Amino acid sequence: MNQKPTLFEPLEARVFLDGSLENLEPMAPYANFIEGGRFSYEGDNGKVNVIVSKGLNGTWEVGDGDLYLFLEGTDSKTSLRINGNASIGGLDAQGGLGILNARNSDIRGEIELGDVRNISLRDILEEAEFNVGRIGKISVNNLSGFFNSGSIGSFLARGDINNASFEAANEVGSTRVLGSVLDSSMETLNFKKVDIKGRVISSTIDTEVTSRNKLRVGGDVEDFSLGSFYNSTFGGNLVNGEIEPEYIKNFYVKGSIDDVVIRNWSGFGTIERLNIGNDFKNSSLFLGWNPGADAIFHTDDDVGVIEGMQAKPLSVYIRGAMENSYIVAKEIGRTKLGRVVPNNSGVRYGLFSFNSADLIDNKMVSIGRDKYSEPIGDFVVELLV
C-alpha cells in the first residue's frame, strides 16, 4: 500500500477460517485482522515480523511504509514484539501492555497506550505523539516530538532529547540521557533523579516537588530555564538562563555562571550552599527579594522584601571572580570569593543581606586570603533595604 490507511465502513460480519469470530465488526480502521497472534509484511527496510499474545483481537495495515496497529482486550500480561526495522505510524492498545519490544523500530505517528511495564524502542521521531499511562521502564535511542505519560519508573535515552516535549503527570523515578537535551521541555510533578551526560541547550527542565531530588548535567547549560532540585550539579558553565529555587541544599557549578538569574518568588526559598568553580559574573541570586520584572537589583521596579522565612543562611564559595553580580538574601553565611573586580563603572554590586553587619564584624567574608572590612572599589557588602 502506498497511502496512509483511511477509515473503513463497519462490516456486518467477518468470519475467520475457524469460524470463531462470526458477526464481528471491525474494531479499527485497518484492513487486516490479526490471526494466530502474528503477522509479517515486507517493509521499506526488509521483512518485519509482529508477534502479539495469542487470543487477542486486532487489526493492522501498512500505508506509506508505516505500520498501523490496533489491539483490543490487552492488559498487563500482553506482549507486543516487532522484529525488524519498522516505522510505526499508529498504535492503539488502550488496555495497556506488559511488554512493548520494538527496539529496532521508530515511532512516527500517534500512539495511545494504557499502562505498560516495559517499553523498548529505537527513536521517537519529531512528528510523533506518544501518549501512555504509567510506565515501569522505557528505553529509546533518541526522543523528539510529543511524549506524555502518567508516571515513569525509569527513562533512558541513549542519545539525545531533541526538539521534544516531555511531560509526566506524576513521578519520574530515574531519568538518564547519555547525550544532550536540545530545544526541548521536560516537565513533571516530581523528577526524582535526572542525569544528563551532555549539554542542555535552549531547554526547560522543571519539577514541582523538590524533596531530595537530584539533577546532574555533565556539560554546559545555555539559554535555559530550570526548576528546583535539592542537589544540583553542573560539570560545565551556566550561561543565559534562569532558575527558580524552592529548597536547594547544594548548588555546584564546575565552570562559570554568566548572565543567569536565580530567584525565588515565594519568600520561603533557600539555597544552603552555592559552590562555583570559576567566575560568577553578570548574574544575580535573589532569595526573599523581588527585583521586579527586569530582574535587576535596586532599579525602579523592585518590589522589595518578600514575606516568609529563609530556612537556612546561604553559604557561598566562588573560586574565581565575582563581577557585576548580586547575591541578595535575607541571611548570608560564610562567603569565600577568589577575587572581585573593583571597577564596575561606578555601579555597586556584591552581597546584600539583613545580617551584613555580622558578616563584616565577624569577618565572615573572605576575598582571596583577606577578610572583607570595607568596599573594594564598587564591590560592597551592605544591608538589604
Side-chain angles (χ1 to χ4, degrees):
M1 310 205 59
N2 56 11
Q3 295 181 354
K4 181 177 178 179
T6 55
L7 291 172
F8 281 74
E9 295 295 329
L11 301 179
E12 293 183 358
R14 177 73 67 103
V15 182
F16 284 175
L17 293 178
D18 62 4
S20 61
L21 297 177
E22 291 187 13
N23 302 317
L24 175 68
E25 291 186 352
M27 301 169 294
Y30 308 138
N32 308 300
F33 273 73
I34 300 172
E35 300 183 54
R38 64 178 60 218
F39 64 89
S40 50
Y41 67 94
E42 194 65 32
D44 292 342
N45 296 296
K47 189 175 183 179
V48 176
N49 296 302
V50 180
I51 305 170
V52 300
S53 297
K54 291 183 179 181
L56 291 177
N57 298 325
T59 58
W60 67 277
E61 189 168 343
V62 176
D64 287 339
D66 294 338
L67 171 64
Y68 295 83
L69 180 61
F70 178 94
L71 297 176
E72 186 177 57
T74 62
D75 58 26
S76 62
K77 297 180 180 180
T78 303
S79 67
L80 169 60
R81 302 177 187 275
I82 301 176
N83 300 324
N85 188 344
S87 174
I88 303 173
L91 171 59
D92 189 319
Q94 297 189 33
L97 296 169
I99 296 173
L100 169 55
N101 187 342
R103 66 184 62 187
N104 295 315
S105 299
D106 298 331
I107 302 296
R108 186 179 298 278
E110 185 173 352
I111 306 299
E112 297 288 343
L113 301 174
D115 299 345
V116 184
R117 188 172 67 251
N118 195 326
I119 299 175
S120 180
L121 303 168
R122 188 167 58 191
D123 294 338
I124 299 178
L125 302 176
E126 186 173 346
E127 57 267 44
E129 293 186 16
F130 198 106
N131 297 284
V132 62
R134 294 172 298 178
I135 302 174
K137 179 180 179 181
I138 178 170
S139 62
V140 301
N141 284 358
N142 300 286
L143 170 64
S144 298
F146 178 78
F147 179 93
N148 180 51
S149 174
S151 63
I152 303 174
S154 68
F155 175 90
L156 169 64
R158 299 181 188 89
D160 297 332
I161 296 179
N162 189 0
N163 197 19
S165 173
F166 178 107
E167 298 178 5
N170 297 303
E171 181 177 283
V172 179
S174 170
T175 302
R176 294 179 62 216
V177 181
L178 304 186
S180 297
V181 177
L182 310 168
D183 300 298
S184 297
S185 65
M186 301 178 66
E187 300 182 14
T188 184
L189 176 68
N190 184 10
F191 274 120
K192 294 191 70 175
K193 183 179 180 180
V194 180
D195 188 351
I196 300 166
K197 299 296 185 185
R199 303 175 299 156
V200 174
I201 307 294
S202 302
S203 296
T204 296
I205 303 175
D206 197 10
T207 179
E208 294 184 27
V209 178
T210 63
S211 177
R212 304 287 177 176
N213 58 358
K214 298 179 181 180
L215 170 64
R216 181 186 179 280
V217 180
D220 292 341
V221 182
E222 301 178 12
D223 305 319
F224 64 91
S225 175
L226 298 178
S228 187
F229 288 83
Y230 186 77
N231 285 295
S232 302
T233 303
F234 304 92
N237 303 303
L238 269 60
V239 180
N240 188 27
E242 60 179 24
I243 301 167
E244 294 190 11
E246 289 297 329
Y247 198 111
I248 297 177
K249 183 176 180 66
N250 297 298
F251 192 92
Y252 172 71
V253 180
K254 187 175 182 180
S256 296
I257 294 180
D258 187 3
D259 193 19
V260 174
V261 176
I262 305 170
R263 56 183 170 184
N264 171 268
W265 296 106
S266 71
F268 294 91
T270 292
I271 297 177
E272 287 191 28
R273 290 189 286 268
L274 174 67
N275 191 329
I276 303 173
N278 205 338
D279 299 334
F280 184 62
K281 55 187 179 181
N282 308 312
S283 299
S284 300
L285 188 159
F286 300 104
L287 296 177
W289 180 273
N290 186 344
D294 64 4
I296 300 175
F297 185 53
H298 272 179
T299 55
D300 291 340
D301 74 341
D302 277 26
V303 177
V305 176
I306 305 171
E307 292 187 5
M309 180 186 297
Q310 182 180 324
K312 290 189 177 181
L314 167 66
S315 170
V316 179
Y317 184 17
I318 300 172
R319 290 176 173 82
M322 184 169 178
E323 177 183 357
N324 186 33
S325 296
Y326 301 88
I327 296 178
V328 183
K330 293 179 180 179
E331 190 172 359
I332 297 176
R334 292 199 174 275
T335 298
K336 294 182 180 181
L337 308 177
R339 62 186 179 89
V340 299
V341 177
N343 184 4
N344 196 44
S345 301
V347 178
R348 292 177 307 150
Y349 76 97
L351 311 178
F352 299 83
S353 71
F354 288 153
N355 69 324
S356 59
D358 290 339
L359 291 176
I360 297 171
D361 294 343
N362 296 324
K363 298 181 179 181
M364 296 171 64
V365 178
S366 301
I367 301 173
R369 297 183 177 180
D370 300 322
K371 300 294 185 181
Y372 176 90
S373 59
E374 61 183 7
I376 302 174
D378 295 326
F379 174 85
V380 299
V381 177
E382 288 191 356
L383 181 67
L384 178 60
V385 293

